[in-house]
Amino acid sequence: MPHTRATPYLAAAFTLVIILMLVVAVLGWIRVEALHTQMDHLTQRHAEKLDRMHRMRSIVRERFIRMSLIVSTDDPFLRDEYAQEFGALAREFMAARADVERLTTEPTEVALLEELRRLNALGTPIMVSVVEAGLENQQELALSVLLDQSLPKQERVMAHMDLILDTFQQAYQQALDELAQTREQTRRTFLLTAMVATLLIFIIALNVTGRIQRQQEDLLSEVEARRRTEALLRETQEGLERSVAERTAALRETTARLEDAQRIAGVGHWDWDIERGRLHWSDSIYQLFGLPRQGELASYEHFMAAVHPD
């Protein structure tokens, strides 16, 4: 039947539609998750870099304050305490710088960090000489070195760290812009994919609808052909029945006329089935033989019994 042949085609078409929609949905989800993950990673790394850089700037100021306190105070115990804090801040500064270098991969930023390391290498011996002079009660020498050499170095380091922060911010903003472009491109891609999928679904729907319509038309044509065939068969059967009825009526009429003719002429007719040994007599034969029309009298023996011996 046409509808049974259409079932596998319809199942395959709708299965393809479901697969297309699932593929679009899964790919979209995977891409969105990847963008979110990338955004979170970028934001977290940028926040860590900024935190470390701001901590480094704060440490530079605190170390300069500790140097100033060592130079300005006369209490040897306070100078020792400030010197220990100065050393602890130096170690904290190097740890923060190492974290920033670990988080930095862009060549421009790496070059800026290398320059910061070079400036620190140049300024650290001067700061150490200021601290040592202050601890040795050489306040005038320590103050002179602090103002003439260490302070300019610190200002240069701070300016360079500001440059690094600006570079980090610019790189972060550029990365955000690139992610925004990627997200927009992804949105357009999946919009196009959805449009293509919708178009395919529409084409499949048209194909399926057309196929169903054709199958319905074929089914209606087949039903109509069967109806015409059945009507033709009924007409043929009715014609045969009419023909048989007419011929039967004609045969009965002919038989009646034949019997009337035989009765009037005083003759009859008979049939003899030699193989089965059966006779069939007409009513006139019974009348001629003087036998009643009943029982099993139509036989060869009854016939011979009715014939005159001579």
Side-chain angles (χ1 to χ4, degrees):
M1 296 296 293
H3 64 279
T4 59
R5 291 195 301 267
T7 300
Y9 178 80
L10 292 176
F14 285 110
T15 301
L16 178 61
V17 170
I18 293 173
I19 291 175
L20 286 175
M21 297 305 296
L22 287 176
V23 168
V24 171
V26 170
L27 290 179
W29 179 80
I30 292 175
R31 186 56 179 170
V32 169
E33 288 296 322
L35 288 176
H36 285 169
T37 302
Q38 187 175 359
M39 177 69 72
D40 294 340
H41 178 70
L42 177 65
T43 302
Q44 181 180 1
R45 187 176 63 178
H46 179 69
E48 291 180 0
K49 288 164 63 176
L50 291 183
D51 178 72
R52 300 299 188 277
M53 287 301 301
H54 284 295
R55 180 56 185 158
M56 290 167 63
R57 294 178 81 255
S58 176
I59 289 173
V60 170
R61 293 193 183 96
E62 291 179 8
R63 292 185 71 192
F64 188 81
I65 292 174
R66 297 301 185 279
M67 284 193 305
S68 300
L69 291 175
I70 291 173
V71 173
S72 61
T73 185
D74 294 332
D75 190 344
F77 296 102
L78 287 178
R79 286 200 295 264
D80 291 339
E81 180 180 353
Y82 294 148
Q84 292 178 2
E85 293 177 355
F86 181 83
L89 289 173
R91 291 189 293 272
E92 186 177 351
F93 179 88
M94 290 186 292
R97 187 180 62 187
D99 290 339
V100 174
E101 292 174 348
R102 176 178 54 83
L103 296 171
T104 302
T105 57
E106 294 295 329
T108 302
E109 297 176 357
V110 171
L112 290 175
L113 290 176
E114 291 178 354
E115 177 63 18
L116 177 62
R117 179 182 286 271
R118 188 185 69 82
L119 293 176
N120 290 333
L122 295 176
T124 299
I126 299 175
M127 298 174 69
V128 171
S129 65
V130 172
V131 172
E132 291 177 350
L135 293 175
E136 295 175 358
N137 291 324
Q138 299 178 0
Q139 306 301 328
E140 294 182 0
L141 176 61
L143 181 61
S144 175
V145 175
L146 175 65
L147 296 177
D148 296 337
Q149 300 183 31
S150 181
L151 182 59
K153 293 290 184 183
Q154 179 185 356
E155 292 178 352
R156 185 175 178 182
V157 168
M158 295 293 291
H160 189 74
M161 294 177 69
D162 291 337
L163 176 62
I164 293 176
L165 286 172
D166 291 339
T167 304
F168 284 172
Q169 187 62 34
Q170 292 176 3
Y172 176 68
Q173 187 61 44
Q174 182 179 358
L176 289 180
D177 294 340
E178 291 177 355
L179 284 177
Q181 293 177 0
T182 303
R183 183 176 58 186
E184 181 65 19
Q185 183 178 2
T186 302
R187 187 184 68 84
R188 293 178 181 178
T189 300
F190 283 102
L191 179 61
L192 179 61
T193 304
M195 293 176 61
V196 172
T198 304
L199 180 61
L200 290 177
I201 293 172
F202 180 71
I203 293 174
I204 292 174
L206 287 180
N207 194 359
V208 171
T209 303
R211 189 177 182 87
I212 293 175
Q213 184 176 1
R214 289 193 298 271
Q215 290 172 352
Q216 290 178 347
E217 292 175 355
D218 294 341
L219 181 59
L220 292 176
S221 299
E222 183 178 352
V223 171
E224 183 64 25
R226 289 186 178 182
R227 289 178 179 175
R228 289 196 298 268
T229 301
E230 292 175 357
L232 180 61
L233 289 175
R234 285 196 299 269
E235 292 178 359
T236 303
Q237 184 177 1
E238 291 174 357
L240 289 175
E241 291 177 353
R242 286 194 301 269
S243 177
V244 170
E246 292 175 357
R247 292 184 181 182
T248 301
L251 181 59
R252 288 177 179 174
E253 183 179 358
T254 302
T255 303
R257 289 180 180 178
L258 178 59
E259 290 180 353
D260 290 341
Q262 290 178 354
R263 180 176 52 78
I264 294 172
V267 296
H269 72 275
W270 52 272
D271 294 329
W272 183 14
D273 189 351
I274 299 176
E275 293 181 356
R276 299 181 181 180
R278 296 178 181 178
L279 287 174
H280 175 73
W281 294 347
S282 64
D283 293 340
S284 299
I285 295 296
Y286 285 97
Q287 294 175 3
L288 289 175
F289 289 164
L291 299 173
R293 181 90 166 94
Q294 62 182 2
E296 295 293 336
L297 300 177
S299 65
Y300 181 74
E301 289 76 10
H302 287 88
F303 171 76
M304 294 303 298
V307 176
H308 194 278
D310 295 336

